[in-house]
Amino acid sequence: MTDIYKALADETRRVLLDELLGRDEQTLFELCMKLAMNHDLTPTRQAVSQHLGVLEEAGLVRTERRGRYKFHTVDTTPLSQISERWPSREVQP
Amino acid sequence: MKLQTISIFVDDQHRAVDFYTSRLGFSVTADIPMGEHRWLTVVDPTRPDGTQISLEPKGHPAVRPFTEALAADGIPFCVLGVDDVHNEYDRLVALGETFTQPPTPMGPVIVAVLDDTCGNLLQLAQWVG
């Protein structure tokens, strides 16, 4: 199990989460295209697949196989532990 | 020299010819019995001299793992140019066809990815300049 902090430590993985917020159920192909077109990031397909694996292990991405195809959907639930651990608070002057 | 014919490997030639003609609007250029299978080609009827597509049975053992791996990752096997990808998307969805990716702007093109019902994904691309 990868902790969410390690999963979030990588810029490409953060961008993948950004793109996954756009729409549920995206294929690896769609995500690779969006990294290239929208962010000028061109890691190999295998590297993107590995990044998605790390995000999935941290519970931030869910993968569903439907028919012949594999789709990826973001799950932001684990991120709530960050604000629960460090809730924002007013700094008193 | 010109690109005369490309092959798309299909699960089932009957289903393939139905999809490529009734759904995509290609017309049959050759349908010749070859034992268990057929030599089956289609072409854009508005460009009869254009590149033909051979709807090729998945006879070779290497083909199935190849097409399955592409499909799993959502990778289209080839690109079909369209005038209006949103129109095509709406039309095909209304007919019950499946897309793995709705029309998505990608720089100079808008692309969508369509399931051809016989094992492949096809990218529909509209050039927007």
Side-chain angles (χ1 to χ4, degrees):
Chain A
M1 185 83 177
T2 306
D3 71 43
I4 58 164
Y5 305 104
K6 187 185 167 201
L8 293 172
D10 181 271
E11 170 65 10
T12 302
R13 290 199 286 271
R14 292 195 296 270
V15 170
L16 280 169
L17 291 178
D18 294 339
E19 287 296 348
L20 282 161
L21 280 178
R23 195 169 59 79
D24 287 345
E25 303 196 332
Q26 298 189 49
T27 63
L28 178 62
F29 172 76
E30 180 169 357
L31 290 166
C32 287
M33 275 209 312
K34 286 177 172 172
L35 287 183
M37 293 304 304
N38 300 340
H39 306 278
D40 217 14
L41 292 171
T42 53
T44 63
R45 188 173 289 125
Q46 290 88 335
V48 176
S49 189
Q50 281 168 9
H51 282 311
L52 288 166
V54 173
L55 291 168
E56 189 179 4
E57 225 189 307
L60 293 165
V61 164
R62 280 180 290 109
T63 298
E64 191 194 344
R65 224 189 150 93
R66 201 164 60 251
R68 299 177 195 266
Y69 311 120
K70 195 167 129 188
F71 296 102
H72 304 85
T73 297
V74 68
D75 184 350
T76 55
T77 317
L79 296 177
S80 63
Q81 64 183 266
I82 296 178
S83 54
E84 281 161 15
R85 182 167 168 182
W86 294 292
S88 67
R89 33 178 225 157
E90 297 276 324
V91 176
Q92 299 301 323
Chain B
M1 214 176 280
K2 66 167 191 170
L3 180 57
Q4 182 174 301
T5 309
I6 63 145
S7 294
I8 295 181
F9 293 102
V10 298
D11 292 340
D12 178 309
Q13 288 188 306
H14 291 280
R15 193 159 72 243
V17 75
D18 179 56
F19 180 85
Y20 281 82
T21 58
S22 76
R23 295 303 200 246
L24 300 187
F26 289 97
S27 53
V28 174
T29 38
D31 187 355
I32 300 163
M34 304 271 284
E36 188 189 345
H37 301 297
R38 297 138 75 185
W39 170 247
L40 184 59
T41 61
V42 297
V43 76
D44 172 358
T46 67
R47 296 167 66 198
D49 293 335
T51 303
Q52 299 174 0
I53 299 171
S54 163
L55 300 170
E56 190 86 12
K58 288 184 177 172
H60 193 284
V63 174
R64 196 167 287 278
F66 167 70
T67 54
E68 282 173 1
L70 289 185
D73 286 341
I75 301 168
F77 181 72
C78 67
V79 181
L80 302 175
V82 296
D83 292 334
D84 186 328
V85 72
H86 288 94
N87 270 357
E88 289 292 348
Y89 177 79
D90 292 342
R91 180 181 75 80
L92 289 160
V93 166
L95 290 169
E97 301 304 339
T98 302
F99 281 78
T100 60
Q101 184 182 316
T104 312
M106 288 289 161
V109 287
I110 307 171
V111 300
V113 181
L114 170 69
D115 183 327
D116 80 348
T117 74
C118 30
N120 308 287
L121 292 171
L122 305 171
Q123 179 162 303
L124 304 186
Q126 176 190 352
W127 180 258
V128 287

